[in-house]
Amino acid sequence: MICPNPNLPFAVKASLLYDSPKAIFSIYAKLKGRKNRMVTIVQVAEKAGVSPSYVSRYLNHSGKVSEESQQRIEKAIQELNYVPSRIARSLRTGTTNAVKIISPSITSPFFAEIFERIHRLLEKRNYDTSMQLVTSKSIFQP
């Protein structure tokens, strides 16, 4: 079966192996029509009836926010399912809080254990980790 669109999410491509064509196109139609826009602090502020800078102060614990406003902001965050954008934060702060771990093997229990321990330690400190497999050939090639 030919994939209807090469830009489909992996989950939909994987479902090509298991689902009927009708089900696949149904999933694709739902995904295509869905808006994937993240909620912004401007929207949270509008819903809570405060300014965006007030929401920012609340989120970053960087200034005084009244108890009443805190409750309204928290309620707006929950209702809108607001999740802070790590990309936006990294653009603002100039830091990514991301660590890439380079390993010569992904199948070795030794390297897997090291990666897991580093990942757990950094996750507690709000860092994202990724792993890159590097073979001896790729180390010496530009």
Side-chain angles (χ1 to χ4, degrees):
M1 174 185 205
I2 297 173
C3 184
N5 181 338
N7 297 321
L8 284 174
F10 175 76
V12 175
K13 288 179 184 176
S15 72
L16 289 171
L17 299 172
Y18 305 105
D19 297 332
S20 69
K22 185 176 180 181
I24 292 164
F25 285 107
S26 171
I27 293 169
Y28 174 65
K30 288 177 186 174
L31 289 172
K32 187 176 179 185
R34 187 178 69 189
K35 302 276 188 219
N36 286 330
R37 295 187 181 162
M38 292 182 67
V39 175
T40 65
I41 63 169
V42 172
Q43 293 167 310
V44 172
E46 287 173 358
K47 183 125 180 118
V50 296
S51 70
S53 62
Y54 213 62
V55 174
S56 179
R57 277 191 290 180
Y58 170 76
L59 292 171
N60 296 313
H61 309 288
S62 62
K64 292 189 177 189
V65 179
S66 71
E67 184 67 35
E68 178 190 345
S69 294
Q70 285 181 20
Q71 291 173 355
R72 289 197 329 249
I73 292 169
E74 191 58 42
K75 183 179 178 189
I77 287 171
Q78 290 174 357
E79 288 177 5
L80 295 171
N81 295 320
Y82 172 76
V83 177
S85 169
R86 287 186 179 204
I87 294 170
R89 181 165 282 171
S90 69
L91 289 172
R92 183 178 49 82
T93 63
T95 61
T96 61
N97 284 3
V99 175
K100 180 177 277 192
I101 300 167
I102 299 172
S103 173
S105 172
I106 57 173
T107 57
S108 164
F110 174 75
F111 291 113
E113 179 66 25
I114 289 174
F115 176 76
E116 180 63 28
R117 287 182 183 204
I118 293 171
H119 171 74
R120 277 190 256 134
L121 178 71
L122 291 172
E123 188 176 45
K124 289 178 185 175
R125 292 169 173 80
N126 290 324
Y127 279 82
D128 292 322
T129 56
S130 63
M131 184 177 195
Q132 179 178 349
L133 177 64
V134 179
T135 63
S136 60
K137 291 179 184 177
S138 65
I139 292 174
F140 301 107
Q141 294 178 353

PDB file of all heavy atoms in Angstrom, residues 61-78:
ATOM      1  N   HIS A  61       8.316  32.513  39.097  1.00  0.00           N
ATOM      2  CA  HIS A  61       8.499  32.836  40.519  1.00  0.00           C
ATOM      3  C   HIS A  61       9.454  34.026  40.669  1.00  0.00           C
ATOM      4  O   HIS A  61      10.335  34.025  41.520  1.00  0.00           O
ATOM      5  CB  HIS A  61       9.029  31.639  41.307  1.00  0.00           C
ATOM      6  CG  HIS A  61       8.246  30.384  41.098  1.00  0.00           C
ATOM      7  ND1 HIS A  61       6.981  30.201  41.611  1.00  0.00           N
ATOM      8  CD2 HIS A  61       8.531  29.251  40.393  1.00  0.00           C
ATOM      9  CE1 HIS A  61       6.539  29.011  41.240  1.00  0.00           C
ATOM     10  NE2 HIS A  61       7.447  28.432  40.498  1.00  0.00           N
ATOM     11  N   SER A  62       9.259  35.050  39.822  1.00  0.00           N
ATOM     12  CA  SER A  62      10.205  36.161  39.801  1.00  0.00           C
ATOM     13  C   SER A  62       9.632  37.477  40.308  1.00  0.00           C
ATOM     14  O   SER A  62      10.223  38.522  40.115  1.00  0.00           O
ATOM     15  CB  SER A  62      10.726  36.365  38.375  1.00  0.00           C
ATOM     16  OG  SER A  62       9.663  36.691  37.508  1.00  0.00           O
ATOM     17  N   GLY A  63       8.498  37.435  40.932  1.00  0.00           N
ATOM     18  CA  GLY A  63       7.927  38.656  41.467  1.00  0.00           C
ATOM     19  C   GLY A  63       6.693  38.327  42.284  1.00  0.00           C
ATOM     20  O   GLY A  63       6.238  37.186  42.332  1.00  0.00           O
ATOM     21  N   LYS A  64       6.151  39.362  42.917  1.00  0.00           N
ATOM     22  CA  LYS A  64       4.964  39.137  43.743  1.00  0.00           C
ATOM     23  C   LYS A  64       3.721  39.035  42.873  1.00  0.00           C
ATOM     24  O   LYS A  64       3.506  39.840  41.977  1.00  0.00           O
ATOM     25  CB  LYS A  64       4.813  40.267  44.746  1.00  0.00           C
ATOM     26  CG  LYS A  64       5.913  40.266  45.787  1.00  0.00           C
ATOM     27  CD  LYS A  64       5.632  41.241  46.887  1.00  0.00           C
ATOM     28  CE  LYS A  64       6.744  41.133  47.922  1.00  0.00           C
ATOM     29  NZ  LYS A  64       6.459  41.892  49.112  1.00  0.00           N
ATOM     30  N   VAL A  65       2.932  38.022  43.176  1.00  0.00           N
ATOM     31  CA  VAL A  65       1.650  37.803  42.511  1.00  0.00           C
ATOM     32  C   VAL A  65       0.646  37.523  43.621  1.00  0.00           C
ATOM     33  O   VAL A  65       0.879  36.664  44.467  1.00  0.00           O
ATOM     34  CB  VAL A  65       1.714  36.612  41.526  1.00  0.00           C
ATOM     35  CG1 VAL A  65       0.374  36.377  40.864  1.00  0.00           C
ATOM     36  CG2 VAL A  65       2.801  36.832  40.476  1.00  0.00           C
ATOM     37  N   SER A  66      -0.464  38.247  43.599  1.00  0.00           N
ATOM     38  CA  SER A  66      -1.445  38.086  44.677  1.00  0.00           C
ATOM     39  C   SER A  66      -2.026  36.672  44.679  1.00  0.00           C
ATOM     40  O   SER A  66      -2.052  35.993  43.647  1.00  0.00           O
ATOM     41  CB  SER A  66      -2.578  39.106  44.515  1.00  0.00           C
ATOM     42  OG  SER A  66      -3.387  38.767  43.403  1.00  0.00           O
ATOM     43  N   GLU A  67      -2.485  36.251  45.818  1.00  0.00           N
ATOM     44  CA  GLU A  67      -3.069  34.907  45.983  1.00  0.00           C
ATOM     45  C   GLU A  67      -4.258  34.727  45.046  1.00  0.00           C
ATOM     46  O   GLU A  67      -4.403  33.672  44.412  1.00  0.00           O
ATOM     47  CB  GLU A  67      -3.498  34.707  47.436  1.00  0.00           C
ATOM     48  CG  GLU A  67      -4.016  33.319  47.746  1.00  0.00           C
ATOM     49  CD  GLU A  67      -2.941  32.245  47.656  1.00  0.00           C
ATOM     50  OE1 GLU A  67      -1.783  32.527  47.998  1.00  0.00           O
ATOM     51  OE2 GLU A  67      -3.278  31.122  47.230  1.00  0.00           O
ATOM     52  N   GLU A  68      -5.090  35.733  44.921  1.00  0.00           N
ATOM     53  CA  GLU A  68      -6.258  35.655  44.036  1.00  0.00           C
ATOM     54  C   GLU A  68      -5.834  35.485  42.573  1.00  0.00           C
ATOM     55  O   GLU A  68      -6.375  34.645  41.851  1.00  0.00           O
ATOM     56  CB  GLU A  68      -7.103  36.924  44.169  1.00  0.00           C
ATOM     57  CG  GLU A  68      -8.314  36.950  43.247  1.00  0.00           C
ATOM     58  CD  GLU A  68      -8.991  38.309  43.221  1.00  0.00           C
ATOM     59  OE1 GLU A  68      -8.731  39.147  44.104  1.00  0.00           O
ATOM     60  OE2 GLU A  68      -9.789  38.520  42.297  1.00  0.00           O
ATOM     61  N   SER A  69      -4.838  36.252  42.164  1.00  0.00           N
ATOM     62  CA  SER A  69      -4.346  36.140  40.787  1.00  0.00           C
ATOM     63  C   SER A  69      -3.689  34.787  40.546  1.00  0.00           C
ATOM     64  O   SER A  69      -3.819  34.206  39.475  1.00  0.00           O
ATOM     65  CB  SER A  69      -3.360  37.262  40.476  1.00  0.00           C
ATOM     66  OG  SER A  69      -4.013  38.503  40.493  1.00  0.00           O
ATOM     67  N   GLN A  70      -2.963  34.289  41.528  1.00  0.00           N
ATOM     68  CA  GLN A  70      -2.340  32.969  41.403  1.00  0.00           C
ATOM     69  C   GLN A  70      -3.395  31.907  41.120  1.00  0.00           C
ATOM     70  O   GLN A  70      -3.210  31.054  40.251  1.00  0.00           O
ATOM     71  CB  GLN A  70      -1.588  32.611  42.686  1.00  0.00           C
ATOM     72  CG  GLN A  70      -0.294  33.334  42.870  1.00  0.00           C
ATOM     73  CD  GLN A  70       0.414  32.909  44.148  1.00  0.00           C
ATOM     74  OE1 GLN A  70       0.143  31.842  44.695  1.00  0.00           O
ATOM     75  NE2 GLN A  70       1.328  33.744  44.615  1.00  0.00           N
ATOM     76  N   GLN A  71      -4.507  31.977  41.853  1.00  0.00           N
ATOM     77  CA  GLN A  71      -5.578  30.999  41.655  1.00  0.00           C
ATOM     78  C   GLN A  71      -6.203  31.133  40.272  1.00  0.00           C
ATOM     79  O   GLN A  71      -6.472  30.125  39.609  1.00  0.00           O
ATOM     80  CB  GLN A  71      -6.645  31.164  42.740  1.00  0.00           C
ATOM     81  CG  GLN A  71      -6.156  30.759  44.113  1.00  0.00           C
ATOM     82  CD  GLN A  71      -7.154  31.094  45.211  1.00  0.00           C
ATOM     83  OE1 GLN A  71      -8.182  31.708  44.975  1.00  0.00           O
ATOM     84  NE2 GLN A  71      -6.829  30.684  46.440  1.00  0.00           N
ATOM     85  N   ARG A  72      -6.419  32.381  39.801  1.00  0.00           N
ATOM     86  CA  ARG A  72      -6.997  32.582  38.477  1.00  0.00           C
ATOM     87  C   ARG A  72      -6.052  32.108  37.371  1.00  0.00           C
ATOM     88  O   ARG A  72      -6.469  31.489  36.403  1.00  0.00           O
ATOM     89  CB  ARG A  72      -7.356  34.056  38.275  1.00  0.00           C
ATOM     90  CG  ARG A  72      -8.541  34.490  39.114  1.00  0.00           C
ATOM     91  CD  ARG A  72      -9.189  35.787  38.670  1.00  0.00           C
ATOM     92  NE  ARG A  72      -8.323  36.778  38.058  1.00  0.00           N
ATOM     93  CZ  ARG A  72      -7.978  37.942  38.590  1.00  0.00           C
ATOM     94  NH1 ARG A  72      -8.440  38.289  39.784  1.00  0.00           N
ATOM     95  NH2 ARG A  72      -7.199  38.784  37.944  1.00  0.00           N
ATOM     96  N   ILE A  73      -4.767  32.391  37.553  1.00  0.00           N
ATOM     97  CA  ILE A  73      -3.774  31.955  36.560  1.00  0.00           C
ATOM     98  C   ILE A  73      -3.695  30.440  36.530  1.00  0.00           C
ATOM     99  O   ILE A  73      -3.692  29.824  35.465  1.00  0.00           O
ATOM    100  CB  ILE A  73      -2.393  32.583  36.859  1.00  0.00           C
ATOM    101  CG1 ILE A  73      -2.439  34.094  36.618  1.00  0.00           C
ATOM    102  CG2 ILE A  73      -1.315  31.933  36.004  1.00  0.00           C
ATOM    103  CD1 ILE A  73      -1.220  34.839  37.144  1.00  0.00           C
ATOM    104  N   GLU A  74      -3.646  29.818  37.698  1.00  0.00           N
ATOM    105  CA  GLU A  74      -3.574  28.344  37.771  1.00  0.00           C
ATOM    106  C   GLU A  74      -4.805  27.703  37.146  1.00  0.00           C
ATOM    107  O   GLU A  74      -4.706  26.709  36.428  1.00  0.00           O
ATOM    108  CB  GLU A  74      -3.406  27.892  39.221  1.00  0.00           C
ATOM    109  CG  GLU A  74      -3.055  26.435  39.372  1.00  0.00           C
ATOM    110  CD  GLU A  74      -1.780  26.035  38.645  1.00  0.00           C
ATOM    111  OE1 GLU A  74      -0.784  26.770  38.682  1.00  0.00           O
ATOM    112  OE2 GLU A  74      -1.800  24.944  38.028  1.00  0.00           O
ATOM    113  N   LYS A  75      -5.974  28.279  37.386  1.00  0.00           N
ATOM    114  CA  LYS A  75      -7.211  27.766  36.795  1.00  0.00           C
ATOM    115  C   LYS A  75      -7.162  27.885  35.271  1.00  0.00           C
ATOM    116  O   LYS A  75      -7.524  26.953  34.555  1.00  0.00           O
ATOM    117  CB  LYS A  75      -8.417  28.526  37.354  1.00  0.00           C
ATOM    118  CG  LYS A  75      -9.743  28.006  36.841  1.00  0.00           C
ATOM    119  CD  LYS A  75     -10.905  28.779  37.444  1.00  0.00           C
ATOM    120  CE  LYS A  75     -12.224  28.258  36.861  1.00  0.00           C
ATOM    121  NZ  LYS A  75     -13.348  29.092  37.242  1.00  0.00           N
ATOM    122  N   ALA A  76      -6.683  29.026  34.760  1.00  0.00           N
ATOM    123  CA  ALA A  76      -6.572  29.230  33.316  1.00  0.00           C
ATOM    124  C   ALA A  76      -5.577  28.242  32.701  1.00  0.00           C
ATOM    125  O   ALA A  76      -5.821  27.677  31.630  1.00  0.00           O
ATOM    126  CB  ALA A  76      -6.148  30.663  33.016  1.00  0.00           C
ATOM    127  N   ILE A  77      -4.459  28.008  33.392  1.00  0.00           N
ATOM    128  CA  ILE A  77      -3.452  27.051  32.917  1.00  0.00           C
ATOM    129  C   ILE A  77      -4.059  25.666  32.788  1.00  0.00           C
ATOM    130  O   ILE A  77      -3.858  24.970  31.795  1.00  0.00           O
ATOM    131  CB  ILE A  77      -2.227  27.049  33.864  1.00  0.00           C
ATOM    132  CG1 ILE A  77      -1.414  28.327  33.663  1.00  0.00           C
ATOM    133  CG2 ILE A  77      -1.362  25.817  33.657  1.00  0.00           C
ATOM    134  CD1 ILE A  77      -0.309  28.538  34.689  1.00  0.00           C
ATOM    135  N   GLN A  78      -4.823  25.248  33.781  1.00  0.00           N
ATOM    136  CA  GLN A  78      -5.440  23.926  33.756  1.00  0.00           C
ATOM    137  C   GLN A  78      -6.511  23.825  32.676  1.00  0.00           C
ATOM    138  O   GLN A  78      -6.578  22.835  31.948  1.00  0.00           O
ATOM    139  CB  GLN A  78      -6.019  23.588  35.127  1.00  0.00           C
ATOM    140  CG  GLN A  78      -4.948  23.340  36.168  1.00  0.00           C
ATOM    141  CD  GLN A  78      -5.527  23.147  37.561  1.00  0.00           C
ATOM    142  OE1 GLN A  78      -6.726  23.242  37.768  1.00  0.00           O
ATOM    143  NE2 GLN A  78      -4.651  22.882  38.526  1.00  0.00           N
TER     144      GLN A  78
END
